Amino acid sequence: EARPPQQKGGATILRLLASRSLWALALAQGGFVYEAYMLLSWLPNFLQTQHHISIFSSGAYTAIIYGTAVLGSILLARLSDRIFSTAALRGGARKWVVAFSYLPAMLVAVVPQVDSVWVIVALLTISVTFLANGISLNTALCNDLVARPEDAGTAVALFTLVANLVGFVSPIVTGYVVQATGNFNMAFVLTGVMLLVGVAVLLGMIKGGIGTAEPSLPPAS
């Protein structure tokens, strides 16, 4: 379905912030970013303290996880681009691929229950691959739903700001949880809960485009 005729000038920031869909996307992205910041800040420490791995080895395992995830997320993104028509994407169909990405990402929650380092690496590789895929496709979804192309940059900037404010607390909360419990178990579980909240917000709150008073999204085709 083609976009409606465009009016001159973009929507104001206040109008964009009044969009329920923008907030839904931003908060859903926050679930992904929470995991991203938690792992970037604490994964080497987790491997060193809870599995007694050297600094060098923990760095090598982390590189394997993120290096593999980069390639995997690119392939997944390419695949998703081929699944939907342009009209379906403008109707918000990409949200289903984003929602699917949360499920493998939630494997992060079971990592502390595993003893084998290579199983941990495998689980985190899958989790981070779909995490990276979800972050990129959710950003693309934000662009899909913007009613006017001239609002895209502002909408994505606001979306990114809110998501990173959620992610900002992740290393801090993780530190307090580890200090209080003496291990990383609850910190990883909490990260899984944040992803669960993210997918619930994504599927439950998106309604209509961004920067427009249009009614609900057309059905995906």
Side-chain angles (χ1 to χ4, degrees):
E1 180 175 325
R3 289 183 175 183
Q6 304 299 319
Q7 299 177 9
K8 276 194 157 185
T12 65
I13 290 178
L14 290 178
R15 185 175 180 184
L16 291 172
L17 287 174
S19 169
R20 175 177 173 176
S21 292
L22 179 62
W23 282 100
L25 288 171
L27 294 174
Q29 187 83 331
F32 283 130
V33 177
Y34 187 97
E35 179 184 354
Y37 282 19
M38 182 270 196
L39 292 177
L40 286 172
S41 301
W42 288 97
L43 179 56
N45 187 279
F46 162 72
L47 292 173
Q48 291 163 35
T49 60
Q50 204 146 316
H51 291 276
H52 311 292
I53 296 171
S54 68
I55 294 177
F56 175 81
S57 295
S58 67
Y61 288 131
T62 302
I64 291 171
I65 292 167
Y66 280 91
T68 306
V70 167
L71 297 176
S73 64
I74 292 172
L75 292 174
L76 287 170
R78 288 280 294 169
L79 177 62
S80 71
D81 284 342
R82 295 175 180 273
I83 292 175
F84 300 109
S85 66
T86 301
L89 292 175
R90 294 306 180 199
R94 203 189 304 265
K95 77 175 182 180
W96 298 110
V97 183
V98 177
F100 172 77
S101 296
Y102 282 96
L103 302 179
M106 288 179 195
L107 287 172
V108 69
V110 303
V111 164
Q113 310 305 320
V114 177
D115 293 325
S116 168
V117 174
W118 282 111
V119 174
I120 290 173
V121 169
L123 290 173
L124 286 177
T125 298
I126 295 170
S127 178
V128 174
T129 297
F130 283 89
L131 167 69
N133 184 62
I135 287 175
S136 63
L137 293 187
N138 203 31
T139 305
L141 177 58
C142 181
N143 187 64
D144 292 341
L145 297 182
V146 173
R148 299 177 176 86
E150 57 268 35
D151 294 333
T154 304
V156 170
L158 293 171
F159 155 90
T160 303
L161 172 64
V162 174
N164 278 280
L165 288 175
V166 176
F168 173 78
V169 305
S170 175
I172 301 170
V173 170
T174 300
Y176 278 113
V177 171
V178 172
Q179 184 180 39
T181 63
N183 57 54
F184 283 86
N185 294 15
M186 286 305 301
F188 277 84
V189 170
L190 179 58
T191 301
V193 170
M194 290 297 292
L195 291 168
L196 185 62
V197 171
V199 70
V201 169
L202 180 78
L203 296 178
M205 286 183 59
I206 290 182
K207 184 178 181 181
I210 296 173
T212 178
E214 293 176 13
S216 60
L217 295 170
S221 57

